[in-house]
Amino acid sequence: MRFLVTTSVWVIFSAVMAATPVDADTADTVYTNGKIYTVDEANPWAEAVAIKDGKFIAVGSNDDIAAVTGDSTKVIDLDGGFAMPGIHDTHVHPPLVYGHEEAGRLLFSETNSPDEIIEIVKDYAEKNPDVEIIRGEKWAAGDFPGGKATKDWLDPHFPDRPVYLIDETGHNGVVNSKLLEMAGITKDTPDPEFGVIDRDPETGEPTGYLSETAMRRIGLLVGRPDEDAWYRSISRSLDQIRAYGTTSIVDMAVGPEILAAYKRLEEEDKLNFRVAATIALNDYQAEFTTAEESEAILAKRDEMETPLIKIGLKYWADGSPLSKTALLVEPYSDDPSTHGEMTIGEKELERIVQAHRDGLQVRMHATGDGTTRKLLNTIEKARAEDPKPELRHHIGHLMVVHKDDIPRFKELGVIAEFSPVMWYPTSLGGVASTYVGKDRYARWHPIKEFVDAGATVTFGSDWPAGTPDADPWRGLEAMITRKDPATNTGDALGEGIDLETAVKALTINGAKAMMHEDVAGSIEVGKHADMVLLDRNLFEIDPTEISDVKVRQTIFAGKPVYSAN
């Protein structure tokens, strides 16, 4: 009897074990009959994919997927439609898009003319009589001589109300005479460290144009939005970003209230993004964090990180050629007496080395080739002490880069991030040639040179700095054509890259930049099911049509988070 019972139990157990693999491998959802570009070099194209518990469990032909399709599986026929991995935007500022507007401040477009902006500010001033300091953004540098707006633009219209308007880059602002007076900025006020108070060359009087840390004095007067305002702004921005097929982002400027807003969204199951929250250590505007607050977050990063939110460190290592707050290897073309300057010093460079020792990823803003060289030297020093090859630091923008330094990106394992919309259609490019000269401007954002040197290049929209949105498809087209996607006319600015390389920049390379290529960035078995369905096949259209691409659906961890219909 004991034998019979034991045998019966074994038969039942065996049957359960035999059934378990089938049940475990039955997909929740399958997508069939598609043209799916996986960005997996071993298996670049697939006809179908199967998803279970938010991950890909099969990638291959319709027959392959049929093996894991059960009665409960949702089957979606792509009908020949094109799909690819979710987009990684490795430089974006979702809170800053609407944060100030949500805090009751003024937001206008860089496409507005100076006269239109004046009328917008007048209307705001009339409707908000209790607002002590009118704070707005973002005006286009190209609309003003040398890219610099001055108090002479504002004073005739606002002699008594303090006004502070920031430009499209976020690195410069203009104030009227009333606000200069409130801030105590006179001809005798010295430039702050890492900042510039623009002055009339004849009288020495401040023009009202302020750069980098010179904006901090104004920012402290204005104050900063609270967590609720950032929460509402991020919510609005992410809704738009999802519609472009983006599923992973690097927020390049995070402070305590912003981080709290992201965590709140995740707790409410409203995030639907993988976020690299880059904690800023030098908020030159003084409008979302302090160095002390940021260091407190970094000290507790292990307990503050979540499944969707990872923490890194950010430095604006320089600013912009317009204010000569970008260090150049050779002197500025419009003023051979100066090479410009960085917006960090030896103390901050040593902090980068310390971050490397601590295993903390560092992301850095650099527009000048001298700045980039200093940063590469710093990373080289850090790696000489402790290689940590798994740790990938990240330099963004790279407007002007010396040829000798480009191979060092691969040698040092540094991510090279480009923002193609800064080539087009922003007004900054045309103005910058005055400062850096024709030869350096001909190599403006030299992405092809980086690709040829074997560097890992990524895409960053930098929205809202100098761009009306976070559209990656316009950026993808500009990477290839090096022309303005809106017109496709004129000569190309520098050399473009091929489509396959550009797509990798938006996907698997972005995942490498966020150091999560083991779970995202390509369509492979075991990775999170982040995928975007498009209205056309990128590989079957002319590159000049890429900016017209529309997203049919964005899928994050196996769930649709945006649908065009």
Side-chain angles (χ1 to χ4, degrees), residues 219-463:
L220 292 172
L221 291 175
V222 174
R224 71 197 206 196
D226 60 19
E227 180 189 325
D228 286 342
W230 293 128
Y231 173 89
R232 293 192 298 271
S233 176
I234 294 170
S235 299
R236 292 172 64 182
S237 299
L238 294 189
D239 282 346
Q240 293 178 249
I241 295 172
R242 285 186 195 94
Y244 292 121
T246 300
T247 55
S248 294
I249 61 172
V250 177
D251 186 325
M252 278 292 228
V254 174
E257 291 89 359
I258 292 174
L259 181 60
Y262 273 118
K263 295 179 78 170
R264 181 171 152 196
L265 283 165
E266 183 174 4
E267 290 163 1
E268 295 174 358
D269 198 26
K270 295 178 181 177
L271 188 54
N272 299 325
F273 279 90
R274 302 180 208 290
V275 179
T278 310
I279 310 301
L281 277 181
N282 60 335
D283 173 15
Y284 54 90
Q285 290 186 6
E287 291 196 348
F288 59 91
T289 190
T290 65
E292 293 75 19
E293 290 171 318
S294 293
E295 289 287 14
I297 293 172
L298 294 172
K300 297 181 178 179
R301 70 181 187 277
D302 290 341
E303 60 189 77
M304 300 190 77
E305 290 186 333
T306 71
L308 294 182
I309 302 171
K310 304 303 176 186
I311 290 174
L313 180 157
K314 161 75 179 280
Y315 269 122
W316 282 276
D318 68 5
S320 160
L322 274 67
S323 54
K324 296 185 172 59
T325 53
L327 182 65
L328 299 183
V329 173
E330 300 296 331
Y332 273 81
S333 297
D334 68 315
D335 184 359
S337 70
T338 182
H339 290 257
E341 61 181 355
M342 294 173 63
T343 56
I344 60 175
E346 291 303 318
K347 181 181 71 173
E348 290 77 19
L349 292 174
E350 181 52 40
R351 180 66 181 90
I352 292 171
V353 174
Q354 183 59 52
H356 178 85
R357 292 190 194 107
D358 295 339
L360 180 62
Q361 187 180 29
V362 184
R363 297 184 174 94
M364 296 153 280
H365 166 119
T367 62
D369 54 1
T371 304
T372 297
R373 178 169 291 180
K374 281 264 192 181
L375 295 176
L376 291 172
N377 291 345
T378 301
I379 295 168
E380 186 174 48
K381 174 185 175 182
R383 292 211 188 276
E385 290 182 10
D386 185 355
K388 284 190 169 65
E390 76 285 355
L391 189 58
R392 304 185 192 114
H393 303 301
H394 172 153
I395 300 178
H397 294 323
L398 303 169
M399 295 175 178
V400 180
V401 188
H402 197 283
K403 285 180 178 288
D404 293 348
D405 291 316
I406 291 176
R408 301 176 70 194
F409 278 76
K410 180 181 180 181
E411 294 165 7
L412 295 171
V414 177
I415 301 296
E417 172 253 306
F418 291 89
S419 298
V421 77
M422 290 190 173
W423 315 334
Y424 312 100
T426 177
S427 67
L428 176 62
V431 176
S433 62
T434 301
Y435 296 91
V436 303
K438 292 182 179 179
D439 290 343
R440 282 181 291 206
Y441 187 60
R443 295 182 56 250
W444 194 242
H445 297 264
I447 189 171
K448 178 68 158 52
E449 295 179 35
F450 277 81
V451 169
D452 290 345
T456 300
V457 302
T458 70
F459 159 82
S461 69
D462 202 19
W463 188 42

Side-chain angles (χ1 to χ4, degrees), residues 36-56:
I36 303 170
Y37 186 59
T38 67
V39 197
D40 173 11
E41 292 184 1
N43 182 34
W45 289 94
E47 187 178 29
V49 297
I51 299 168
K52 184 176 181 64
D53 296 331
K55 295 183 179 181
F56 294 112

Side-chain angles (χ1 to χ4, degrees), residues 74-87:
K74 182 177 182 180
V75 179
I76 299 171
D77 187 345
L78 293 176
D79 192 26
F82 179 80
M84 61 180 283
I87 302 300

Side-chain angles (χ1 to χ4, degrees), residues 94-103 107 229 233 236-237 240 463:
L96 305 185
V97 180
Y98 302 112
H100 296 289
E101 182 183 47
E102 289 291 349
L107 181 67
S233 176
R236 292 172 64 182
S237 299
Q240 293 178 249
W463 188 42

